Amino acid sequence: MNNAKVARVLSLLVLVAISSCPRHARAGHAVDHCLIDKKKVMRDCWHNIEKNFGDPFPSHGSLCCDTIRDSKDIHFVCDRFTAHELTVISLSKFATVTHKCGNGLHTHTHCAGYRVPIITLPPPPPEGA
């Protein structure tokens, strides 16, 4: 491949990388709000999205749910999961958590290669239980 082709491919890759996050995440001092939101999700929701032991049903008032609801665009959090993180978290649990917390991933969209299914949450427990 000659230098001109390499330069065009690199330019295209840079353009794709820049456009993968919404404009508000790129504005001002190159702060990546998508990455910041992803780090908060990993910190606050770890016990809910961990692959082997996570409980995908946090209480609505939990720190995890607050973080999910406060995310500027929960879909872009998916784009920021690293290869290593994808080996230790469950994307199906992440999708369930987003719905449980009220900021659900859209059905039939892709989250880091995971196709989000229709998510039906279990009914709340009866009062007094």
Side-chain angles (χ1 to χ4, degrees):
M1 200 181 288
N2 65 30
N3 288 342
K5 287 183 181 178
V6 170
R8 282 186 286 197
V9 169
L10 288 176
S11 296
L12 179 62
L13 289 175
V14 168
L15 179 63
V16 169
I18 289 171
S19 65
S20 70
C21 197
R23 181 176 299 277
H24 65 265
R26 296 188 308 267
H29 301 100
V31 173
D32 186 345
H33 291 286
C34 302
L35 183 61
I36 291 169
D37 287 346
K38 190 268 305 190
K39 287 180 178 181
K40 289 178 183 177
V41 165
M42 290 299 291
R43 179 192 67 211
D44 299 339
C45 298
W46 172 251
H47 294 293
N48 303 104
I49 63 175
E50 196 272 331
K51 189 172 274 185
N52 297 315
F53 302 106
D55 174 12
F57 301 107
S59 66
H60 197 68
S62 68
L63 182 58
C64 176
C65 279
D66 289 345
T67 298
I68 295 291
R69 282 190 300 272
D70 290 345
S71 292
K72 293 188 184 328
D73 189 329
I74 200 65
H75 289 273
F76 287 106
V77 170
C78 292
D79 294 336
R80 295 300 187 262
F81 288 130
T82 65
H84 172 71
E85 289 166 340
L86 292 172
T87 66
V88 296
I89 66 170
S90 165
L91 291 174
S92 66
K93 288 180 182 179
F94 174 69
T96 301
V97 167
T98 66
H99 280 265
K100 175 72 173 153
C101 295
N103 189 12
L105 294 169
H106 299 291
T107 301
H108 305 302
T109 58
H110 289 268
C111 174
Y114 171 76
R115 187 168 184 260
V116 180
I118 296 170
I119 295 176
T120 304
L121 298 174
E127 288 192 37

